[in-house]
Amino acid sequence: MIDTILDAIAALPIGQYIAEDPVAFPWTETAHVICLVIVFGSILLIDLRLMGLASRDYSVNALTRTILPVTWVAFLGAAITGALLFSSNPHGYWGNFYFKAKMCLLLAAGVNMLVFHFVTQRRAPMDQPGVLPGGARLAGFISAVIWIAVIACGRWIGFTMSPF
Amino acid sequence: MLDAWIKPKIDWLNAQPFQQTIRYTEWVVPTMQTIHIIAVAFVMTAALIVALRGIELVGTEWSVARWYQRFHASTIAALWVLLGTGTILTLAEPERELLNWVFRTKMVMVVITLVLAHLLGRRLRTLQPGQKAPGGVRLFAVIILLCWIGIACCGRWIAYAG
C-alpha cells in the first residue's frame, strides 16, 4: 500500500524536476529552511510568553492574534516546500528514521496546540498581562522542546541520506 | 590571490588535533548546525516582526521602537551563539567555508546588516514612547529583513556552491 503511494509520488513530474534540475533542490530547500525558521521563531515567541520568560506585559491573546498569522503563512510555505522535497525522493525520505521522527514530532506539536487551544486557553485568563497558570506554562515548554527537536531532526536528515 | 593567502592557514588548521576532533566527531557538525539554525530563528523572527510592525501588518499594540527593544537582548545573545557555532563549523571544514565565494558573500552581508541594524536601533532610540516611526525608518526595517533572508540563502547555498 505505502509502496504504491511512494511509487506514485516518485512518478510525479514535479518530483523528477526537483531531483534532476541542478538548482531546484537547493532553492526549494533554502525556502523550506527559511519558512521553518520563521515557524519556529514565531512559535517560540508565544512559548516564551506562555512560560513567563518574555513579553509578560503583552497578553497571550493579543500576542497570538498578532503572531499566529505569520506562523501559519510560514507553516504553509514550509509544508509546500517540504512536500516538494519529499517528492524528489519519496522512498529515501520514507526510509529515513529522522524524517519519520520529524513527522511524529509535527503531529505531537499539533496535538499540543489543539489541547492548548481547546482546553488550557479556555480555562486560564489569557487576555491580561502577567504570569500564567502551570498548564499554560507547561504547554509552552512542551511546544518549545518539540520544535527544537523538529529542527534537529530536519538537520539530521541531511546527514543521514543523500537527497536523491 | 586571496585563496593563495588562505590555503596555508587551512593546511595548518587541518593539521591541528582539535580540528581533527571537531571534524571527525560525528555529532559535532549536525549539532552545531542545529544550534546555528535555532539562533538564526531568533534573529530572523525579530527582524520579521519589527519589519511587519513597521508596515503595520502585525503587533500594533506596541510601537516599532518597543518591539525593537523587546527583541534587542535576545538578538544580541543569538548573534553571539551564531558567532560561536559558525566558528566551530568553519573550523570543522575550513576549506568548504573559507575558499567558498558564497561564504565570503555571506560574511560581507552579515557585516553590512549588523551596521544597518545598529543604525536602525540608534534611530529608534531617539523616538518618543508611542511615537510613530517615520517612513524611512520603516523602510530601513524591511531592508534589514531582506538582508537577513539573503544571509540565510547564502548559508544554505554554501553546501551547494563554491
Side-chain angles (χ1 to χ4, degrees):
Chain A
M1 166 73 174
I2 191 71
D3 280 337
T4 313
I5 296 169
L6 294 175
D7 286 341
I9 296 171
L12 291 173
I14 185 74
Q16 289 171 4
Y17 168 74
I18 290 171
E20 288 165 12
D21 188 85
V23 296
F25 188 92
W27 273 121
T28 311
E29 194 188 34
T30 302
H32 185 67
V33 171
I34 290 173
C35 288
L36 202 58
V37 153
I38 292 168
V39 170
F40 170 69
S42 58
I43 287 178
L44 194 66
L45 202 59
I46 296 168
D47 292 342
L48 291 173
R49 170 65 188 94
L50 288 173
M51 286 188 272
L53 296 176
S55 309
R56 271 184 286 189
D57 50 350
Y58 209 119
S59 83
V60 172
N61 284 348
L63 194 64
T64 52
R65 231 184 359 256
T66 206
I67 300 297
L68 283 186
V70 174
T71 311
W72 280 115
V73 170
F75 185 81
L76 186 66
I80 292 170
T81 51
L84 290 173
L85 293 173
F86 182 80
S87 72
S88 71
N89 183 6
H91 289 94
Y93 282 106
W94 190 253
N96 185 282
F97 167 79
Y98 294 101
F99 175 79
K100 285 180 183 163
K102 185 178 172 182
M103 293 302 110
C104 291
L105 287 163
L106 286 173
L107 199 64
V111 171
N112 182 55
M113 188 189 71
L114 288 174
V115 170
F116 171 74
H117 186 70
F118 288 109
V119 182
T120 319
Q121 204 168 13
R122 288 183 182 181
R123 286 182 186 165
M126 301 280 176
D127 52 356
Q128 299 294 327
V131 179
L132 295 164
R137 280 182 282 162
L138 182 66
F141 176 75
I142 291 171
S143 171
V145 170
I146 289 173
W147 280 101
I148 288 170
V150 167
I151 300 279
C153 284
R155 203 69 292 274
W156 249 271
I157 292 170
F159 282 87
T160 49
M161 66 175 281
S162 60
F164 16 80
Chain B
M1 191 171 125
L2 186 62
D3 285 0
W5 182 76
I6 291 174
K7 269 179 186 163
K9 275 93 181 156
I10 291 174
D11 292 339
W12 177 83
L13 260 179
N14 283 333
Q16 303 309 308
F18 73 90
Q19 195 276 346
Q20 299 287 304
T21 306
I22 294 171
R23 186 178 200 135
Y24 294 110
T25 307
E26 219 169 86
W27 55 267
V28 171
V29 171
T31 304
M32 287 305 122
Q33 286 190 355
T34 301
I35 298 169
H36 202 75
I37 291 172
I38 290 169
V40 168
F42 274 87
V43 175
M44 200 177 280
T45 304
L48 177 70
I49 300 298
V50 170
L52 290 179
R53 172 61 189 87
I55 53 176
E56 300 193 349
L57 279 179
V58 302
T60 46
E61 284 90 346
W62 283 2
S63 65
V64 181
R66 194 166 176 196
W67 274 112
Y68 185 89
Q69 194 57 38
R70 153 70 183 81
F71 290 123
H72 186 69
S74 60
T75 301
I76 297 292
L79 287 171
W80 281 109
V81 172
L82 286 171
L83 179 66
T85 51
T87 302
I88 293 170
L89 290 169
T90 306
L91 286 174
E93 297 167 300
E95 60 286 332
R96 179 183 184 255
E97 317 278 352
L98 300 175
L99 299 176
N100 189 322
W101 66 269
V102 181
F103 174 79
R104 291 175 190 170
T105 306
K106 180 183 171 183
M107 289 303 105
V108 171
M109 284 182 74
V110 166
V111 172
I112 292 169
T113 308
L114 289 177
V115 171
L116 292 177
H118 176 70
L119 294 174
L120 175 68
R122 268 176 53 171
R123 182 71 184 88
L124 285 173
R125 275 192 287 274
T126 64
L127 297 176
Q128 297 299 317
Q131 184 187 345
K132 192 175 176 182
V137 171
R138 288 180 278 157
L139 177 66
F140 214 53
V142 174
I143 290 170
I144 289 169
L145 170 66
L146 295 176
C147 286
W148 283 120
I149 290 173
I151 290 165
C153 289
C154 286
R156 201 75 284 280
W157 272 83
I158 288 170
Y160 296 103

